[in-house]
Amino acid sequence: MNARLILVVLLIISVCGCIHMEKIPLELKFIAQKERGCIIPDGIQRIAIMGLQNLTEEKVANEKISGLLSSEIMKLNRYSLIERIQLEKVMKELALGMSGVIRDDQIQQAGKLLGAQAIIVGEVTNYVHKVENIPYEYESKGAGILPLPPEEEADIIVPSEKHRYMVEKYFCAIGFNLRMVDIETGKIIWAKEVSRSFSCREGEYDIHSVDYIMDKLVKASVEEAAWELHGQ
């Protein structure tokens, strides 16, 4: 009896969990593939992520992507990342400014000063998140045939009805290019271009904020890039 009661409780908890589970569209997730697109040489272990060049109107787009990229690379347990304090010292020495954007002819020099075996550089090419109000229309089927009291001669047919109101439409897009440069040879040993976008209207998913969509889209995009850096 106790075992049967426990089983019923577990089933109820399971069903409730499924009901309240957050619905995230597949476009906002990164699904790992069986094969990675790039194999990084085993000798590359100590790397630095220099400031990405921001080509968008979003002021902190490059910082968001760089920060997430650092976190995802650390999760791989393969690389040793140069700390930010060291990066700032080198940026001052090379007069790069707060953006940290480095020219191609400065990469090897920066790498040697940092003691890095490779440096990741790149550009943020697209970073858009916007909301607009759009008209939305749907047609209710009506209640069908409603029975009348006995003294009436016929039933009333309830017609369908059109409803129109304004809803929010969310649109987000992200795009960036990354390159890993071998400090010893100066050659690019890995490159990745990522471009993703997603749009939906209010109520279409369990989504009620454009910022939520953008955070998910950026995270999935960075995970896609970091996946290849695992190497094997």
Side-chain angles (χ1 to χ4, degrees):
M1 184 69 178
N2 290 337
R4 192 174 291 178
L5 179 61
I6 291 172
L7 180 60
V8 171
V9 171
L10 289 175
L11 285 173
I12 292 173
I13 293 174
S14 176
V15 171
C16 291
C18 291
I19 291 173
H20 296 289
M21 186 177 296
E22 187 180 35
K23 295 179 181 178
I24 302 177
L26 290 177
E27 294 89 341
L28 298 181
K29 296 180 180 180
F30 168 64
I31 300 175
Q33 304 297 321
K34 291 183 178 180
E35 296 182 0
R36 295 177 171 87
C38 176
I39 297 179
I40 306 299
D42 292 333
I44 302 296
Q45 294 181 339
R46 185 172 169 81
I47 64 175
I49 301 175
M50 299 301 290
L52 304 180
Q53 185 177 3
N54 190 0
L55 303 179
T56 75
E57 296 181 358
E58 181 69 27
K59 293 182 179 179
V60 295
N62 53 343
E63 295 178 10
K64 287 183 178 180
I65 294 174
S66 295
L68 274 174
L69 183 61
S70 297
S71 299
E72 291 299 322
I73 289 177
M74 289 297 291
K75 291 178 184 178
L76 299 177
N77 294 320
R78 170 176 174 170
Y79 301 99
S80 173
L81 282 179
I82 306 295
E83 295 182 0
R84 185 171 181 83
I85 296 177
Q86 291 178 272
L87 288 173
E88 289 175 351
K89 287 181 180 179
V90 171
M91 286 193 301
K92 288 181 180 178
E93 189 167 339
L94 297 177
L96 298 179
M98 293 304 294
S99 66
V101 176
I102 188 171
R103 301 194 311 267
D104 290 345
D105 60 349
Q106 294 175 308
I107 292 176
Q108 283 182 284
Q109 182 183 359
K112 290 175 182 178
L113 290 172
L114 290 166
Q117 295 167 312
I119 283 182
I120 293 178
V121 295
E123 304 83 31
V124 182
T125 56
N126 195 15
Y127 197 102
V128 177
H129 51 106
K130 62 182 180 180
V131 182
E132 62 178 341
N133 292 318
I134 62 170
Y136 178 68
E137 186 177 286
Y138 78 95
E139 185 174 351
S140 60
K141 299 298 182 181
I145 299 177
L146 297 181
L148 294 178
E151 61 271 14
E152 299 291 341
E153 295 182 357
D155 296 334
I156 294 178
I157 299 177
V158 180
S160 61
E161 184 179 359
K162 288 187 177 181
H163 302 267
R164 182 183 176 89
Y165 57 96
M166 301 300 291
V167 299
E168 290 186 337
K169 181 180 179 181
Y170 310 122
F171 174 78
C172 295
I174 181 75
F176 56 86
N177 304 311
L178 300 173
R179 299 178 299 282
M180 180 183 282
V181 180
D182 187 322
I183 297 304
E184 184 178 352
T185 64
K187 294 182 178 180
I188 297 173
I189 56 176
W190 172 78
K192 179 70 176 179
E193 180 179 354
V194 177
S195 178
R196 285 180 176 233
S197 63
F198 178 79
S199 65
C200 70
R201 62 169 173 76
E202 180 184 3
E204 190 172 354
Y205 297 95
D206 187 16
I207 294 174
H208 305 284
S209 166
V210 71
D211 292 331
Y212 173 88
I213 297 175
M214 197 64 197
D215 288 344
K216 291 291 184 183
L217 196 65
V218 172
K219 189 174 188 303
S221 300
V222 173
E223 287 176 345
E224 179 184 340
W227 170 255
E228 293 189 2
L229 289 173
H230 192 280
Q232 299 180 24

